[in-house]
Amino acid sequence: MAAARWPGVAEADGALTLTVAEGVTSAVVHALARGEAPPPPFAVRALTPLPAAVPDGERPITVDQTNLSVIVGETVVVKWYPRPVRGPHPAPGLLAHLAGFARTATPYACLFWEDALVALVTAYLPDARDGWEWCVDEAEAGRTGFAAEIGRLAAELHLAMATPSEVFPHPVRLPRPDGPGPATWPARAEEALRAALALTGGEDGAWLAARAATLRRELAPLASARPSPLIRIHGDLHVGQILRWRDGYAVVDFDGNPTVADGEAFQPAARDLAQLRTSVDHAAQVAVRRRGTDPEAALAWAAAAREDVRKSYLAALAEAGRPELLDETLLRPFEIEQECRELIYAARHLPRWRYAPMGVLRSWFP
């Protein structure tokens, strides 16, 4: 295939910019399906064979997102990274490790430009809607039946993460006294709190500053955390990463937390579960803000759904004989840290989002 049928990549001052013209995504997918090698310096890491006959046609996913996702032939999705970053990226290794995991979109390939990940190629899940749509619908309607299902999904993901593969033959670790683990968690959380305080201005900032001591007390258990198993986690597990599609629920997007630079590869499972639970609270805030849902009803819905997520998650671990993967004492401090990270994300990337974490924190600390 001619190089013109692949994206353009420009580099200026060490930063990469990816340009994808109309028709390029379809051309790339069909080339990969035929087994064609990409033009250098592009390279492909194949994970699962693509369908032999992908239909023609492409359409972009039009929801507001940082990346560009294009559906080809209603069969394959290519997620392009418009600002690819050189160096290691968590997604390729995690997707290769999870190649047999049925609760995510089948991963087909990872595309690189030199050492920068530029795209992920996965199966398209028909009728898929992300949690910022379907979960907000549930909040508006007051339905909590979904919570047990996504709690089990999170547990199944962690069980798969904790299962050895050729990619990760030793997927579970215990922290060493002199290595990454509990010793680094208090500083990471304190850094998040300080950044949230510095970046949150106005009335919200004043409210947050007045409760800084309370928030630090909530983070204090991290200083005495006991050693618990560490695994590779999703890293950004919120309801927006859980698709409700024709055949159920699936977890997607293994890019890691956008507010954490150089995060440790092995983390406690509680970090994912804490973020998933807080995202249920955020869905309630969205329902209040955008759908006019009664605030008290939304808070009651969120509390019930959060608890169902936790119970279902624990039950699934117990059924698998792996209850040790979750240290529940970490949930609350990680939830507080996550709300700080939501404020950081809002300040740096999406200012209008600040209402959600602030609404949650105000409900927790009236």
Side-chain angles (χ1 to χ4, degrees), residues 51-346:
V54 179
D56 292 330
E58 65 175 46
R59 63 180 176 89
I61 296 176
T62 56
V63 297
D64 182 22
Q65 56 181 9
T66 304
N67 305 306
L68 169 65
S69 293
V70 181
I71 302 167
V72 177
E74 301 302 307
T75 303
V76 175
V77 177
V78 180
K79 181 170 75 171
W80 298 104
Y81 295 91
R83 304 270 188 239
V85 178
R86 292 186 180 277
H89 189 287
L94 291 175
L95 290 175
H97 176 69
L98 293 171
F101 179 59
R103 303 295 300 276
T104 189
T106 301
Y108 294 130
C110 305
L111 306 184
F112 297 87
W113 189 86
E114 294 183 348
D115 62 340
L117 179 69
V118 296
L120 295 174
V121 184
T122 67
Y124 171 60
L125 301 179
D127 303 324
R129 301 173 71 225
D130 74 44
W132 298 126
E133 295 180 353
W134 66 256
C135 195
V136 175
D137 289 346
E138 301 301 281
E140 183 181 18
R143 297 186 294 258
T144 59
F146 74 93
E149 296 188 59
I150 67 170
R152 175 168 289 274
L153 172 58
E156 291 177 358
L157 172 65
H158 288 160
L159 290 166
M161 291 287 202
T163 299
S165 71
E166 291 184 4
V167 182
F168 299 142
H170 305 289
V172 182
R173 295 182 182 177
L174 284 175
R176 302 189 310 271
D178 59 341
T184 65
W185 300 339
R188 169 175 158 152
E190 174 63 23
E191 180 184 12
L193 175 57
R194 288 180 179 176
L197 289 167
L199 293 169
T200 306
E203 182 182 341
D204 287 338
W207 184 95
L208 198 65
R211 287 157 181 80
T214 299
L215 295 173
R216 286 193 170 93
R217 284 195 295 273
E218 295 281 351
L219 296 174
L222 294 177
S224 57
R226 61 179 181 266
S228 60
L230 306 179
I231 61 173
R232 284 176 168 85
I233 62 172
H234 183 283
D236 194 27
L237 189 61
H238 54 74
V239 294
Q241 312 286 36
I242 296 179
L243 303 183
R244 176 187 278 174
W245 67 295
R246 188 176 61 195
D247 292 342
Y249 294 89
V251 59
V252 296
D253 289 344
F254 293 84
D255 295 336
N257 193 313
T259 70
V260 179
D262 301 321
E264 297 163 7
F266 284 81
Q267 292 284 338
R271 198 178 287 283
D272 266 355
L273 184 58
Q275 185 174 15
L276 181 58
R277 279 164 45 96
T278 59
S279 72
V280 171
D281 291 285
H282 299 150
Q285 294 297 319
V286 174
V288 171
R289 178 88 161 212
R290 298 185 182 176
R291 307 282 184 85
T293 303
D294 176 71
E296 291 302 318
L299 291 178
W301 170 87
R306 281 165 50 88
E307 182 62 7
D308 286 350
V309 168
R310 184 189 69 86
K311 288 180 178 178
S312 178
Y313 179 94
L314 285 170
L317 290 190
E319 289 172 16
R322 301 300 301 273
E324 78 284 355
L325 290 180
L326 180 69
D327 181 353
E328 286 195 82
T329 66
L330 299 175
L331 280 179
R332 182 59 170 178
F334 282 165
E335 288 176 351
I336 298 297
E337 179 185 340
Q338 184 56 40
E339 291 310 289
C340 292
R341 295 197 175 279
E342 297 289 339
L343 290 171
I344 295 169
Y345 178 80

